[in-house]
Amino acid sequence: MAESASGFMRDWISENIHNDPIWGDRIGERTAAEIVKLKADARTAGLDLIDPELDDDLLHDEVWAAIENVDDPEVGGIKD
Protein backbone atom coordinates (compact mmCIF):
# COMPACT_ATOMS: atom_id res chain seq x y z
CA MET A 1 0.00 0.00 0.00
CA ALA A 2 1.23 3.48 -0.80
CA GLU A 3 2.17 5.85 1.98
CA SER A 4 -0.09 8.71 2.99
CA ALA A 5 -0.27 11.70 0.69
CA SER A 6 0.57 14.15 3.47
CA GLY A 7 3.66 12.17 4.49
CA PHE A 8 4.73 11.82 0.88
CA MET A 9 4.31 15.56 0.30
CA ARG A 10 6.32 16.53 3.39
CA ASP A 11 9.09 14.05 2.61
CA TRP A 12 9.23 15.03 -1.06
CA ILE A 13 9.49 18.74 -0.24
CA SER A 14 12.23 18.22 2.35
CA GLU A 15 14.20 15.99 -0.03
CA ASN A 16 13.76 18.03 -3.22
CA ILE A 17 13.43 21.71 -2.35
CA HIS A 18 16.89 23.16 -1.91
CA ASN A 19 18.48 26.43 -2.76
CA ASP A 20 18.68 26.91 -6.52
CA PRO A 21 19.97 30.36 -7.50
CA ILE A 22 19.25 29.63 -11.18
CA TRP A 23 15.60 30.50 -10.52
CA GLY A 24 16.47 33.89 -9.02
CA ASP A 25 13.36 35.68 -7.82
CA ARG A 26 11.01 33.64 -10.05
CA ILE A 27 9.42 31.82 -7.14
CA GLY A 28 6.08 31.46 -8.93
CA GLU A 29 7.64 29.73 -11.92
CA ARG A 30 9.74 27.47 -9.74
CA THR A 31 6.74 26.60 -7.56
CA ALA A 32 4.76 25.50 -10.64
CA ALA A 33 7.69 23.44 -11.94
CA GLU A 34 8.25 21.73 -8.59
CA ILE A 35 4.53 20.87 -8.28
CA VAL A 36 4.66 19.14 -11.67
CA LYS A 37 7.61 17.06 -10.44
CA LEU A 38 5.96 16.31 -7.09
CA LYS A 39 2.73 15.14 -8.74
CA ALA A 40 4.64 12.95 -11.20
CA ASP A 41 6.51 11.31 -8.33
CA ALA A 42 3.26 10.92 -6.36
CA ARG A 43 1.66 9.23 -9.37
CA THR A 44 4.67 6.92 -9.70
CA ALA A 45 4.39 6.09 -5.97
CA GLY A 46 0.78 5.04 -6.54
CA LEU A 47 -0.86 7.85 -4.59
CA ASP A 48 -4.38 9.00 -5.31
CA LEU A 49 -3.93 12.41 -6.93
CA ILE A 50 -7.40 13.50 -5.86
CA ASP A 51 -6.36 13.22 -2.21
CA PRO A 52 -6.98 16.58 -0.48
CA GLU A 53 -3.32 16.64 0.60
CA LEU A 54 -2.36 16.86 -3.08
CA ASP A 55 -4.76 19.69 -3.85
CA ASP A 56 -3.16 22.24 -6.17
CA ASP A 57 -3.76 25.19 -3.83
CA LEU A 58 -2.31 23.37 -0.83
CA LEU A 59 0.69 22.15 -2.81
CA HIS A 60 1.27 25.67 -4.11
CA ASP A 61 1.30 27.10 -0.59
CA GLU A 62 3.54 24.35 0.82
CA VAL A 63 6.06 24.41 -2.04
CA TRP A 64 6.13 28.22 -2.16
CA ALA A 65 6.83 28.37 1.59
CA ALA A 66 9.59 25.76 1.30
CA ILE A 67 11.25 27.68 -1.54
CA GLU A 68 11.08 30.93 0.41
CA ASN A 69 12.60 29.15 3.40
CA VAL A 70 15.70 28.00 1.49
CA ASP A 71 16.15 30.98 -0.83
CA ASP A 72 17.77 34.14 0.49
CA PRO A 73 18.97 36.46 -2.29
CA GLU A 74 20.57 38.82 0.21
CA VAL A 75 23.22 36.22 1.00
CA GLY A 76 23.90 35.10 -2.54
CA GLY A 77 20.81 32.92 -2.80
CA ILE A 78 21.99 30.45 -0.17
CA LYS A 79 20.05 29.96 3.03
CA ASP A 80 20.22 26.23 3.64
Side-chain angles (χ1 to χ4, degrees):
M1 180 173 189
E3 64 183 294
S4 73
S6 62
F8 179 87
M9 178 184 64
R10 282 191 307 272
D11 291 347
W12 191 95
I13 288 172
S14 70
E15 292 172 11
N16 292 282
I17 303 296
H18 304 285
N19 181 56
D20 190 349
I22 292 171
W23 287 97
D25 61 353
R26 298 174 305 158
I27 295 176
E29 289 177 53
R30 181 174 179 197
T31 298
E34 297 294 352
I35 289 171
V36 169
K37 293 178 202 173
L38 189 158
K39 284 194 162 201
D41 289 348
R43 188 176 299 111
T44 299
L47 294 176
D48 181 3
L49 294 182
I50 59 171
D51 188 295
E53 292 293 332
L54 296 174
D55 174 72
D56 286 338
D57 291 334
L58 177 60
L59 288 179
H60 179 272
D61 293 346
E62 294 289 335
V63 172
W64 184 289
I67 291 169
E68 283 187 327
N69 192 43
V70 298
D71 182 50
D72 190 352
E74 291 182 15
V75 291
I78 299 171
K79 192 172 187 177
D80 56 348

